[in-house]
Structures are given as C-alpha cells and as structure tokens.
Amino acid sequence: TQLLEQSPQFLSIQEGENLTVYCNSSSVFSSLQWYRQEPGEGPVLLVTVVTGGEVKKLKRLTFQFGDARKDSSLHITAAQTGDTGLYLCAGPIYNQGGKLIFGQGTELSVKP
Amino acid sequence: GAGVSQSPSNKVTEKGKDVELRCDPISGHTALYWYRQSLGQGLEFLIYFQGNSAPDKSGLPSDRFSAERTGGSVSTLTIQRTQQEDSAVYLCASSPWSGASNTIYFGEGSWLTVV
C-alpha cells in the first residue's frame, strides 16, 4: 500500500522565519504534487514535481523531489502571514490513473 | 461558473437521515473524484469516475455510501442512514483527463454535520 507521511503535522512560526515541510514514502511515485488549502476552501495545486532530483521554485517556495522519487520537501523562505494554511502533498496511485493519495497535511500558522 | 461547484456548502442532518451532495465539474473535464476530509486532516479517496468507464468505488467506506454521475457531468454522492462519524467535508474534484501528473481542480466542499 502506498502511503505518504508528512512532517511536521503542525508548525507555528513568526513572520520572516524559514521552514521546511517533508513528505515521505517507502514507495516510488511517478510524480508528487503539493497543495495549499485555506479554511472553507478546497485544496489548490501549487506544483507538480516529476523528475527525481527536480527542484522547482514558486516565489519564496522551493519544492524538491527526492532522487529516488520517494520523498519531497517544501521550503518557505521568509514566511509571511499569507502563507498560513494547510499544506498537503499528494501522489498518484500506481497504475490507477489520476487517483491521488494524500498525506495528512501540515497545518502552518505564521504569526505577525 | 468556471470552477467546480458543490452544493450544499453546509448541511446539518439528523442521524439516520439520508443526504445527497451534488458536484458540478468543470465543463469538458472527463475525470471526477470525491474525497472526504475530516477536520484538519488529509484527504481520503472515496470514488473516481473517468469518462464512460465503470467507476472506481474502492474508497467508499461502507455500503451506505453511493455515487453516480449522470451524462458524464454532474455527480451526486448519497449517504444513507447517516452516522455521526460521517461528519466531514466532502470534496469533489475534476480534471481534463486522468493521467498520473495531471492537474485536478477542487470545489470548495460540502460540510456535513450529523447530529
């Protein structure tokens, strides 16, 4: 069974600090996605990483896909209060089309 | 509208009642998904429709849960004889196809509370 484990589950930091969220699995994934979800809304896709070792940047957010394609990380530089939300990683289940499994999420709170 | 539309946005129901949740996907999207999310948690897969293929129902937690998709568009998730543990946000999503790295678009969810 493919599983995705995220850590930490909760993170509370001050504005301006840096942080890293991890998404780990014992299974290989063809790709991994990162979503951000705000209260009362559905998750919104931030990025998809496809190639082992790939690094993608989205403004202050840096996403990395592990060389073995079993893990990914999200690094936020100089966090802002607007970064507050639930961050979810997700990956496609092998040979089941677009069906995704999700990690349990990281609840990030950035305080002014 | 341009996005995935779900209704109702909030539903409070008594234990034992049946509920229907509706999802209107983005026009032209062939794949439609239902997920369930408990408070502050990740998403639990429920069911997946792709075109005219038989749906993947492997995530439905019990036979009280069913879903259909009419005309390849609108979908309804039905929960019969609701229980308190069914309380959650039910999220619908759609995508233009069902490849492994395609983008799926979520609706805002239907928040179900069973009292």
Side-chain angles (χ1 to χ4, degrees):
Chain A
T1 302
Q2 291 175 282
L3 292 173
L4 287 169
E5 295 187 1
Q6 283 186 242
S7 62
Q9 193 171 352
F10 299 98
L11 193 53
S12 180
I13 62 171
Q14 295 297 127
E15 199 168 28
E17 293 183 359
N18 301 332
L19 67 113
T20 302
V21 177
Y22 299 93
C23 176
N24 295 298
S25 177
S26 58
S27 303
V28 174
F29 283 86
S30 58
S31 63
L32 282 178
Q33 298 181 329
W34 284 92
Y35 291 79
R36 178 165 167 260
Q37 185 178 20
E38 296 191 52
E41 299 184 6
V44 175
L45 180 66
L46 295 174
V47 77
T48 302
V49 285
V50 179
T51 306
E54 181 177 8
V55 176
K56 281 191 173 179
K57 293 193 174 184
L58 189 65
K59 297 183 181 178
R60 294 175 293 100
L61 278 61
T62 301
F63 304 85
Q64 187 162 6
F65 199 12
D67 291 341
R69 292 186 287 127
K70 292 183 178 181
D71 56 85
S72 181
S73 64
L74 158 60
H75 182 79
I76 301 179
T77 302
Q80 299 176 356
T81 55
D83 295 328
T84 294
L86 180 68
Y87 290 81
L88 296 154
C89 67
I93 300 174
Y94 176 73
N95 213 27
Q96 294 193 35
K99 193 165 95 177
L100 296 174
I101 59 166
F102 282 80
Q104 71 270 48
T106 295
E107 188 75 54
L108 172 64
S109 174
V110 182
K111 301 185 185 310
Chain B
V4 177
S5 178
Q6 292 188 245
S7 63
S9 55
N10 285 284
K11 174 74 175 179
V12 179
T13 190
E14 291 180 353
K15 178 181 173 181
K17 300 280 190 181
D18 298 351
V19 296
E20 286 190 350
L21 308 176
R22 175 188 167 104
C23 173
D24 202 340
I26 294 172
S27 178
H29 281 192
T30 59
L32 186 148
Y33 313 78
W34 283 98
Y35 284 85
R36 179 168 72 174
Q37 184 176 33
S38 300
L39 188 63
Q41 297 296 307
L43 278 65
E44 174 190 4
F45 167 78
L46 296 178
I47 187 169
Y48 158 52
F49 297 88
Q50 170 55 31
N52 295 321
S53 301
D56 178 348
K57 304 179 181 180
S58 60
L60 295 178
S62 77
D63 58 8
R64 297 186 295 105
F65 288 73
S66 62
E68 62 177 20
R69 188 180 186 190
T70 53
S73 181
V74 172
S75 177
T76 302
L77 176 68
T78 301
I79 309 173
Q80 296 179 308
R81 306 180 302 281
T82 52
Q83 303 295 313
Q84 288 185 330
E85 61 263 28
D86 299 334
S87 296
V89 178
Y90 289 82
L91 290 159
C92 177
S94 69
S95 66
W97 62 296
S98 64
S101 61
N102 79 115
T103 298
I104 66 173
Y105 300 85
F106 283 88
E108 295 188 341
S110 291
W111 188 288
L112 175 66
T113 303
V114 182
V115 297

